[in-house]
Structures are given as C-alpha cells and as structure tokens.
Amino acid sequence: MAEIIDGKQIAEDVVAKVKGLTADLTAKGHAAPGLAVVIVGEDPASQVYVASKSKKAKECGFHSVQHTLPADTQEADLLKLIASLNADPAIDGILVQLPLPGHIDSGKVIQTIAPEKDVDGFHFVNVGKLGTGELETAFVPCTPAGSMILIERVRGKDLSGLNAVVVGRSNIVGKPMANLLLAANCTVTIAHSRTKDLPALARTADILVAAVGRPEMVKGDWVKPGATVVDVGINRIPAPEKGEGKSRLVGDVAFEEAAKNAGAITPVPGGVGPMTIALLMANTVVSAYLKAGLKRPAF
C-alpha cells in the first residue's frame, strides 16, 4: 500500500510556521498581518469556508476582518469596499469568497483587488508572474501551492526530470499547478476531458495531480507503480450504506484502487483540503513581510 500523505499534519506545520513568523514580525515593531474576508450572500458552503478562514487567521495572531454583505449588494458597492481595503494599511490580504451572486462580475471584482494584497493569487499580475517563473514576488493560488508542498514532502524540492501529468485545466488549480511543476523542472502535461487515451497518458506520470471535479474518475490502473498521486477533487456522492439520504466525500481518484499502485497518495478528506487554508495564512504573512521591506519567508 502507498504512503498516505497526511495533509492535516503538514498543514499544521505550515500554520505553526505562520504563527512564528507573525510573532517575529510584531517583535520587530511591525503590525500583525491583516486579512480581510468578504462574503456576499448566504451560500451555506461559503459561510462554512469563511468561518474557518477567519478562525484560522485569529489563531495565527492576525488582525482578522470579515465583511458579510447581503445577496442583493450592488457590484459598485462591493468594488467600493475593495477599494477601501486596498487603501487600508492594516490589511495585507483581501479574499473575496466565490461564488458571487449572478448579478456581480466575479472577474471584475478579482481584478480590482490590489495585486500585492491578492492572497488568493487570482489577479492577472500574479497569474502572469507565476506563468513567467517570477515566483519570488508572485502570490500563488492556495490549493496548488499547498499541493506542491505535499509533493515536495514526498519527492524533495528538486523534481528535475520527473514526468508530471495534471488532469484538469482550470485557472484556479490545473494551470497554476502545471506552472509550479514546470518551475521545479518537471516535464509537464496538462490533460483534460478532450485528451486522447487519458489512462495511458496518466500511466506515464511520476507525479499525477487530479483536479477535474469528477468523482473517482482516475482509476487504479491509471497510476504508474510508485507514482505520487495528489487528489485535489472533493465530491459528495450518495452513501446508501450509511442510511437513506446519506452521502460521503470522495476525491477525483478511486482511492482504494490507486493506493495499491501509488508510492504516495493524498486522501480525501484530509489531504489537499487543509493545505488550502494553511497557504492562505502563509500568503498573508508573506504579504506583511514584503510590505515591511523584509525578506520573503519560504514555506
């Protein structure tokens, strides 16, 4: 059986480092990192995510601010709020929880966030920096950044010569993941729903990242023996064995099958998920360090 990569424990390691960096920052006379989280509407899943992010920010010693706006908030009012947060010296990171209500242009909102406060890594400036290898000043989206730390825990930081296959081409995970793997000297292929003979391509991967949003799509025989498998997917499927109307969480990888071939694999839940919030905290403390003119901390 494969080594199970404990994302929860590794995320705790990252958070512990963030706490230490925050303490060092304030000991040097600088303000604690400030994170502002903005949520529009009452989507239950978004409410849970935002609450956990705000709680983790307080745990890290941050100045934590949450703006909860009604679902009928006008786009212009949301843009005004972001402009005020951009100008607020106490705020180092701004996160707008997606999805936004249909009448608001998400792209326009994200591009309004100042790039140096864009701790989600979605602003075109940060996307461009990542795409051109300017990692020293880029903010990288939290899920791929966290996935990369999990890979490095298994494979080390130098991934030279390894074949990586990323299944999924989203702007939030697939493309930034591919850029991070390229920067680490992997040979990278991005696969997707139109890829010919996807199972055969997946079997060439020393590092296989599944970020496609289809429950248990990646089967055990897609996995090269000894490969490192990172499952970014989180899907809720019916679980009649638990009782009527019950469900369970699964990833994009058929875990039990894949674990027989993989050298190391992330579980769902407990793999990539905890890393996403940990890297949001890491990006925020990095922003505070850069604002203070200090050396960028590494994770």
Side-chain angles (χ1 to χ4, degrees):
M1 282 289 286
E3 172 195 346
I4 309 301
I5 304 169
D6 188 346
K8 199 171 175 188
Q9 181 55 57
I10 297 168
E12 283 173 11
D13 294 346
V14 171
V15 168
K17 180 159 188 183
V18 170
K19 289 177 184 174
L21 288 165
T22 300
D24 287 348
L25 190 67
T26 54
K28 287 174 179 158
H30 299 286
L35 176 63
V37 181
V38 180
I39 180 169
V40 184
E42 292 173 6
D43 177 72
S46 292
Q47 295 279 356
V48 171
Y49 288 139
V50 163
S52 61
K53 287 166 183 173
S54 296
K55 184 181 173 188
K56 191 62 73 177
K58 285 173 186 157
E59 184 190 320
C60 289
F62 291 2
H63 166 56
S64 176
V65 179
Q66 184 175 321
H67 293 272
T68 305
L69 307 178
D72 61 357
T73 297
Q74 293 304 300
E75 184 181 281
D77 293 327
L78 177 56
L79 296 178
K80 260 187 220 167
L81 171 61
I82 291 169
S84 73
L85 294 170
N86 284 340
D88 186 346
I91 298 299
D92 298 291
I94 302 168
L95 180 145
V96 178
Q97 183 65 41
L98 302 177
L100 290 168
H103 66 281
I104 296 175
D105 181 343
S106 299
K108 189 175 183 182
V109 168
I110 288 163
Q111 299 313 315
T112 303
I113 298 170
E116 66 276 10
K117 296 189 179 189
D118 167 41
V119 287
D120 254 342
F122 297 157
H123 193 285
F124 291 151
V125 167
N126 286 313
V127 173
K129 284 180 174 181
L130 174 59
T132 53
E134 184 54 51
L135 295 180
E136 274 304 300
T137 58
F139 285 108
V140 177
C142 302
T143 299
S147 300
M148 199 67 191
I149 289 175
L150 297 180
I151 291 165
E152 288 170 349
R153 284 291 181 104
V154 176
R155 294 277 187 171
K157 285 197 179 277
D158 183 9
L159 307 178
S160 298
L162 295 177
N163 285 331
V165 174
V166 179
V167 186
R169 53 179 165 177
S170 72
N171 293 328
I172 293 172
V173 180
K175 290 174 189 172
M177 190 78 237
N179 278 317
L180 285 172
L181 289 162
L182 270 175
N185 298 318
C186 286
T187 301
V188 183
T189 306
I190 302 179
H192 46 79
S193 58
R194 306 282 178 92
T195 299
K196 285 184 182 174
D197 201 354
L198 183 51
L201 178 63
R203 280 191 289 272
T204 68
D206 302 302
I207 298 167
L208 180 61
V209 180
V212 74
R214 293 188 188 176
E216 300 182 323
M217 184 178 111
V218 176
K219 305 302 182 190
D221 63 359
W222 293 29
V223 177
K224 178 181 178 179
T228 301
V229 179
V230 175
D231 189 351
V232 180
I234 186 155
N235 311 283
R236 195 166 282 285
I237 63 168
E241 71 279 2
K242 289 185 174 182
E244 192 178 340
K246 297 289 186 182
S247 62
R248 64 188 176 96
L249 291 176
V250 298
D252 292 350
V253 177
F255 180 84
E256 299 297 336
E257 292 176 27
K260 290 173 184 168
N261 277 343
I265 188 169
T266 62
V268 175
V272 173
M275 295 298 290
T276 299
I277 290 181
L279 266 293
L280 174 64
M281 301 304 127
N283 278 351
T284 304
V285 84
V286 165
S287 176
Y289 266 67
L290 294 176
K291 182 182 78 180
L294 299 170
K295 185 182 174 188
R296 179 181 182 131
F299 286 89

